[in-house]
Amino acid sequence: MSEKRRIVVKVGSNVLTRDDGKPNVTNMSALVDQIAAIMMMGHEVILVSSGAVACGRGAVKPMRQLDSVEQRQLFSSVGQIKLINLYNELFGEYGYVVGQVLTQKENFSSRTSYLNQRACMQTMLENGVIPIVNENDTASLTELMFTDNDELSGLIAAMMDANTLVILSNVDGIYDGAPSDPASKLIRCVPTGKDLSEFVVAAKSGFGRGGMGTKCGIARKLSEEGVTVIIAKGDRPNVLVDLITKPDETPHTLFEPRPEPMSNIKRWIAHSDSFAKGIIRVDDNAAKALRSDKAVSLLPIGVTAIDGEWEEGDIVSILCGDGDSVGIGRVSVSSAELSEMMGKKGQKPVIHYDYLFID
C-alpha cells in the first residue's frame, strides 16, 4: 500500500470496548494516532466505528427494564454524542476535522439515496474532513438493520470506490483451525473466489453483533469487486501503520482483489441482495451463460418463472433450476412485462450485463 490510497478502516465493539462494557479510550487514542499517521503519508481514510452503545451504557441508568432494542436506542442516542466528541477531541490534537455520518440500511436501497450519500462523503473527503460512519441505531428497525458494522463497512468501501478495507478484529486474521489452538496457522493470503467456510466458526465475538463468518463473506464479495480486504488484530500496537510500512512482518489475512475493479453501479448492485423485490428463475443454459467469462445479458428466452412484483429499475434476484443463486441485477422491464416476454426469442434484455452481478 505504498501508493496513495483511499482506505476504509472498520473498528468493532470488541476493540473499542473494555471487558466491563465501557469505552476503551486507550485503544481509541491509539487508533486515532495511527489514522493520523496514515493520513500524513497522503492516504485518505474513512472510519467506520462502533462504540456508541458502549459510550452510552455508563452515562444513563434506565428507569425500568428495557428490551434489547430499547437499550440499543437509548444507549446509542446518548453514546453517539460522546463517541463523536471523543473522536473530535483526539483527531483535533493533530489538526484534523471529523464529520459524523449516521446511516441506515434503507439508505442503500435507492440508487438516488445511495448517490446522495456518496456525494456527501466525497465532499467531506475533498475538504479534508474525516468521515466517521456508524449505523443510526435510534431509527433502524431490527429487520432492516445491518448484520453488523462489517456489512456497513463493505457497503461504504464499495460506495466510495475505496482501494482497501481494513477490518480490525480481536484476532490476527483467518486461521486454518481454532485461533486458540497453537497448532493453527494464520492464512496470510486468500486468492479471489476461494471458499474459507471450512475454517470459519459461525460465532459472535465480545460485544459485537457479527463474527468471522460475516467478515469473510464481506471480504470475498469486495475482493470480487476489486477491493483489497485485510483482517487484522485491532489492539496490536501500531497495526495500521505497520500494514502499510512493513506488511510482511505484520500478522494479517489479505483477500486479493480481482485485477479489474467493477463499476460503481455494479458494486451497488452487488450489495443490494437484501433489497430485491422479486425472483427471476432461469434455465440451465441461461445460468451457464451468465456464469461464463463472457459479458452476457439475461434474455427473456432463458427465463422459466418469476416470483414477486416489481417495476423497471428495481433489484431482483436470479436463481437457477435447483434454487441456487446465480446473481442479482437491476431489471429493465417490470414483472408484468416479463410475464409476457419470458421464454420468447427476439426480445430486449431483462437485465443488461452492465447492471448484473454474478455470485
Side-chain angles (χ1 to χ4, degrees), residues 290-321:
L290 292 171
R291 287 168 170 163
S292 71
D293 294 332
K294 298 180 180 179
V296 178
S297 299
L298 175 61
L299 301 176
I301 192 171
V303 177
T304 59
I306 61 174
D307 299 323
E309 297 182 358
W310 61 81
E311 300 297 327
E312 177 184 349
D314 284 341
I315 300 294
V316 299
S317 299
I318 306 167
L319 304 182
C320 56

Coordinates of all heavy atoms in Angstrom, one line a residue, residues 290-321:
L290 N -24.6 -17.0 -18.1 CA -24.4 -15.9 -17.1 C -23.1 -16.1 -16.3 O -22.4 -15.1 -16.0 CB -25.6 -15.7 -16.2 CG -26.9 -15.2 -16.9 CD1 -28.1 -15.3 -15.9 CD2 -26.7 -13.8 -17.4
R291 N -22.8 -17.4 -16.0 CA -21.7 -17.7 -15.1 C -20.4 -17.8 -15.9 O -19.3 -17.9 -15.3 CB -21.9 -19.0 -14.4 CG -23.0 -18.8 -13.2 CD -23.4 -20.2 -12.7 NE -24.2 -20.1 -11.5 CZ -24.9 -21.0 -11.0 NH1 -25.0 -22.2 -11.7 NH2 -25.6 -20.9 -9.9
S292 N -20.5 -17.7 -17.2 CA -19.3 -17.8 -18.0 C -18.4 -16.5 -17.9 O -18.8 -15.5 -17.3 CB -19.6 -18.0 -19.5 OG -20.2 -16.9 -20.1
D293 N -17.3 -16.5 -18.6 CA -16.4 -15.3 -18.5 C -16.8 -14.3 -19.5 O -16.2 -13.2 -19.6 CB -14.9 -15.8 -18.8 CG -14.4 -16.7 -17.7 OD1 -14.8 -16.5 -16.6 OD2 -13.5 -17.5 -18.0
K294 N -17.8 -14.5 -20.3 CA -18.2 -13.6 -21.4 C -19.2 -12.6 -20.8 O -19.9 -12.8 -19.8 CB -18.9 -14.3 -22.5 CG -18.0 -15.3 -23.2 CD -18.7 -16.0 -24.4 CE -17.8 -17.0 -25.1 NZ -18.5 -17.7 -26.2
A295 N -19.3 -11.4 -21.4 CA -20.2 -10.3 -21.0 C -21.6 -10.7 -21.6 O -21.8 -10.4 -22.7 CB -19.7 -9.0 -21.4
V296 N -22.4 -11.3 -20.8 CA -23.7 -11.8 -21.2 C -24.8 -11.1 -20.4 O -24.8 -11.0 -19.2 CB -23.8 -13.3 -21.1 CG1 -25.2 -13.8 -21.5 CG2 -22.7 -14.0 -21.9
S297 N -25.9 -10.6 -21.2 CA -27.1 -10.1 -20.5 C -28.1 -11.2 -20.4 O -28.1 -12.2 -21.1 CB -27.7 -9.0 -21.4 OG -26.7 -7.9 -21.5
L298 N -29.0 -11.0 -19.4 CA -30.1 -12.0 -19.3 C -31.2 -11.7 -20.2 O -31.8 -10.6 -20.2 CB -30.6 -12.0 -17.8 CG -31.9 -12.9 -17.5 CD1 -31.5 -14.3 -17.8 CD2 -32.3 -12.7 -16.1
L299 N -31.5 -12.7 -21.1 CA -32.6 -12.5 -22.1 C -33.9 -13.3 -21.7 O -33.8 -14.3 -21.0 CB -32.1 -13.1 -23.5 CG -30.9 -12.4 -24.0 CD1 -30.4 -13.1 -25.3 CD2 -31.1 -10.9 -24.3
P300 N -35.0 -12.8 -22.1 CA -36.3 -13.5 -21.8 C -36.4 -15.0 -22.1 O -37.0 -15.7 -21.4 CB -37.3 -12.7 -22.5 CG -36.7 -11.3 -22.7 CD -35.2 -11.6 -22.9
I301 N -35.7 -15.4 -23.2 CA -35.8 -16.8 -23.6 C -35.3 -17.7 -22.5 O -35.7 -18.9 -22.4 CB -35.0 -17.0 -24.9 CG1 -35.4 -18.4 -25.5 CG2 -33.5 -16.8 -24.7 CD1 -34.8 -18.6 -26.9
G302 N -34.4 -17.3 -21.7 CA -33.8 -18.1 -20.6 C -34.6 -18.1 -19.3 O -34.3 -18.8 -18.4
V303 N -35.6 -17.3 -19.2 CA -36.4 -17.2 -18.0 C -37.5 -18.2 -18.0 O -38.3 -18.4 -19.0 CB -37.1 -15.8 -17.9 CG1 -37.9 -15.7 -16.6 CG2 -36.0 -14.7 -17.9
T304 N -37.6 -18.9 -16.9 CA -38.6 -20.0 -16.8 C -39.8 -19.6 -15.8 O -40.9 -20.1 -16.0 CB -38.0 -21.3 -16.2 OG1 -37.4 -21.0 -14.9 CG2 -36.9 -21.8 -17.2
A305 N -39.6 -18.7 -14.9 CA -40.6 -18.4 -14.0 C -40.2 -17.1 -13.2 O -39.0 -16.7 -13.2 CB -40.9 -19.5 -12.9
I306 N -41.2 -16.4 -12.7 CA -40.9 -15.2 -11.8 C -41.7 -15.3 -10.6 O -42.8 -15.8 -10.5 CB -41.2 -13.9 -12.6 CG1 -42.7 -13.8 -13.0 CG2 -40.3 -13.8 -13.8 CD1 -43.1 -12.5 -13.6
D307 N -41.2 -14.7 -9.5 CA -41.9 -14.6 -8.2 C -41.8 -13.1 -7.8 O -40.7 -12.5 -7.8 CB -41.2 -15.5 -7.2 CG -41.2 -16.9 -7.5 OD1 -42.2 -17.4 -8.1 OD2 -40.2 -17.6 -7.2
G308 N -43.0 -12.6 -7.3 CA -43.0 -11.2 -6.8 C -43.4 -10.2 -7.9 O -43.6 -10.6 -9.1
E309 N -43.5 -9.0 -7.5 CA -43.9 -7.9 -8.4 C -42.9 -6.8 -8.3 O -42.4 -6.5 -7.2 CB -45.3 -7.4 -8.1 CG -46.4 -8.4 -8.2 CD -47.8 -7.8 -7.9 OE1 -47.8 -6.6 -7.5 OE2 -48.8 -8.5 -8.1
W310 N -42.5 -6.2 -9.4 CA -41.5 -5.1 -9.4 C -41.7 -4.2 -10.6 O -42.5 -4.6 -11.6 CB -40.1 -5.7 -9.5 CG -39.8 -6.5 -10.7 CD1 -39.4 -6.0 -11.9 CD2 -39.8 -7.9 -10.8 NE1 -39.2 -7.1 -12.8 CE2 -39.4 -8.2 -12.1 CE3 -40.1 -9.0 -9.9 CZ2 -39.3 -9.5 -12.6 CZ3 -40.0 -10.3 -10.4 CH2 -39.6 -10.6 -11.7
E311 N -41.1 -3.1 -10.6 CA -41.1 -2.1 -11.6 C -39.8 -2.0 -12.3 O -38.8 -2.5 -11.8 CB -41.6 -0.7 -11.1 CG -42.9 -0.7 -10.5 CD -44.0 -1.0 -11.4 OE1 -43.9 -0.7 -12.6 OE2 -45.0 -1.6 -11.0
E312 N -39.7 -1.4 -13.5 CA -38.5 -1.2 -14.2 C -37.5 -0.4 -13.3 O -37.9 0.6 -12.6 CB -38.7 -0.4 -15.5 CG -37.4 -0.1 -16.2 CD -37.7 0.8 -17.4 OE1 -38.9 1.0 -17.8 OE2 -36.7 1.3 -18.0
G313 N -36.3 -0.9 -13.2 CA -35.3 -0.3 -12.4 C -35.1 -0.9 -11.0 O -34.2 -0.5 -10.2
D314 N -36.0 -1.8 -10.6 CA -35.9 -2.4 -9.3 C -34.8 -3.5 -9.3 O -34.4 -4.0 -10.4 CB -37.2 -3.1 -8.9 CG -38.2 -2.1 -8.4 OD1 -37.8 -0.9 -8.0 OD2 -39.5 -2.4 -8.4
I315 N -34.4 -3.9 -8.1 CA -33.4 -5.0 -8.0 C -34.1 -6.3 -7.8 O -35.1 -6.4 -7.0 CB -32.5 -4.8 -6.7 CG1 -31.8 -3.4 -6.9 CG2 -31.5 -5.9 -6.5 CD1 -30.8 -3.4 -8.0
V316 N -33.7 -7.4 -8.5 CA -34.2 -8.7 -8.4 C -33.1 -9.7 -8.3 O -32.0 -9.5 -8.7 CB -35.1 -9.1 -9.6 CG1 -36.3 -8.1 -9.7 CG2 -34.4 -9.1 -10.9
S317 N -33.4 -10.9 -7.6 CA -32.5 -12.0 -7.5 C -32.7 -12.9 -8.7 O -33.8 -13.1 -9.2 CB -32.7 -12.7 -6.2 OG -32.5 -11.9 -5.1
I318 N -31.6 -13.6 -9.1 CA -31.7 -14.6 -10.2 C -31.3 -16.0 -9.6 O -30.3 -16.1 -9.0 CB -30.7 -14.2 -11.3 CG1 -31.0 -12.8 -11.8 CG2 -30.8 -15.2 -12.5 CD1 -29.9 -12.3 -12.7
L319 N -32.2 -17.0 -9.8 CA -32.0 -18.3 -9.3 C -32.1 -19.3 -10.5 O -32.8 -19.0 -11.4 CB -33.0 -18.7 -8.3 CG -33.2 -17.9 -7.0 CD1 -34.2 -18.5 -6.1 CD2 -31.9 -17.7 -6.3
C320 N -31.3 -20.4 -10.4 CA -31.4 -21.4 -11.4 C -32.4 -22.5 -11.0 O -33.0 -22.4 -9.9 CB -30.0 -22.0 -11.7 SG -29.1 -22.7 -10.3
G321 N -32.5 -23.5 -11.8 CA -33.5 -24.5 -11.5 C -33.4 -25.2 -10.2 O -34.5 -25.6 -9.6

